[in-house]
Amino acid sequence: GEGVRSILEKQIGELSREISRGVGVSERKIQAARPSAPDVPTSSMEAYNSFLKGKDAYEKFYYEQARQFLENAVALDADFAEAYLYLARTQTSLGNQKARIEAYEKAKVLSGKAAEKERFYIEAAYAGAIERDPEKRLRILEEIVQKYPKEKEAHFELASYYRGLNKLELAISEFDKALALDPNYGYALNVIAYTYADLGNYDKAINYLKRYAESSPGDANPIDSMAEIYFRMGNLDEAIAKYKEVLDRKPGFVLSLPSLAYVYAFKEDYTNAMSCVVEFIAKAPSLGLKGQGSFIHSLFLYCLGRFNQALSDLQQLADLAGSQGYTEGKAGTELLMGLIRGERGEFEQSRTLLKSWYDFTSKSDPASFSDSKAYYLFFLGMTDVKQGRLDAAKTSLAEMKALLAKISPANQAQFAFVYDCFQGEFFLAGGFVDNAVSVLENIVPQAKPSAMRQDVLFIYNIPFQKDILARAYVKRGDIDKAIAEYERLITFDPKREQRTLIHPLYHYRLAKLYDQKGEKTKAAEQYQKFLAIWKDADPDRPEAADAKKRLAGLKD
């Protein structure tokens, strides 16, 4: 050799050809496979070594380790385009918005110096993440698999693209191609398991995750993924046990904490839920992840009736996100603030915050404009309903209906559910109770959440109060049906698809119905359950004070 550089530029290729000859591969096939130019991502062996470690850590979801290795790689070789690509992906996962954009831009600028294959990957990722052009991303990915059919990562990327569109059979076909090229490709084993779970084939999902665990002994993510699948299956205790196993095995794998927190909150165990979130905020390796933890903490504060503290914390979070250039995080925070303001009856402040969220979202992601517009119409219309502005709400309802056909395929079921909730609230507010009941009795239940991510779970839980049918029954005088509906809402059935949080007000409203029917013991149980959850609720919330008074009356 001629030094370290020649290992990358010549010797790997020469040794590969000699080995091929040694095992009997024909000279014609060897020459056909020979690249026309050296496919070398960097001239620095140290940078390449650090890049490989960073890429491996990224694919194992050890994002902080990945960031350190990849930053070292680009420090050793400032022209290492592919290292910048994986650094951008890592910063995305860490929630570091500004650093993410900088890394993507750097990768794009340097892509002209990269080999063709790496340049394709960079351009595809840039089209999806920065240009927000999914069709361009698809064209580039299809070109990669055509030119490089044995590139497992190209098939994985294409499969992930199809999964995002809810084209699950196409996704599985591409995952299978990636796994045929590398049966131990952990990244693909993980996501194909989720894809089978999306199809409801949980046995196959768990089997793939067992393969993933066997191919990656000692790694945390296979166990974390099993925990999530068990949650989807309705095996809540098994899910909690698996999340705890992850944290025992890899205490630094803090990404499991928000997911574990959600399972606890789903069980209405907010003590453990809040404890997990506080621990995550303390241990999260990046400001972006700490911000996501703070967002979840504020959402749980809302569930606990602590609106004032939630709004105060969210304002601080929005200010911090703005100062760090994390505009997406700021917009999401403003959305939650707007919804809480609306529940407090602060409608104009709510509208301002909702408009701010919509202005950002509609401009930042043109490909999802219809989704953003439909959600905005829903939020705006629900605010109008609360204010009694039914003509305005009717306009929003009609506009939203017209948009439903344009919604991205992966989100159509969720939007259909939200639209029917809007219809129900509109009819109920207008006194058309039978219409409300008719719509809501035939509503298609929500599917399970597609991921245990903060942004996904937040939107998945909207609207926060889904007891519209129960309230319609009450208004119609069907108290027994209202009680049955509330009992359904507060009772976990693993066979049901829905995995949304149980709003504490359901217990309060059910207690009043039991009380009305003379079922004093059941009423007392529900008042006590509600007051236990809302023990620290804001003093100006009338529900807690009323529940205490009614509970005391039952004991007299």
Side-chain angles (χ1 to χ4, degrees), residues 478-490:
D478 292 339
I479 303 304
D480 289 338
K481 283 189 174 182
I483 287 174
E485 175 63 7
Y486 274 119
E487 288 175 339
R488 185 189 70 82
L489 288 170
I490 67 170

Side-chain angles (χ1 to χ4, degrees), residues 460-482:
Y460 179 71
N461 275 278
I462 289 170
F464 296 138
Q465 297 187 38
K466 300 178 181 65
D467 61 337
I468 315 164
L469 178 57
R471 287 186 275 117
Y473 284 141
V474 170
K475 204 163 186 178
R476 197 167 70 173
D478 292 339
I479 303 304
D480 289 338
K481 283 189 174 182

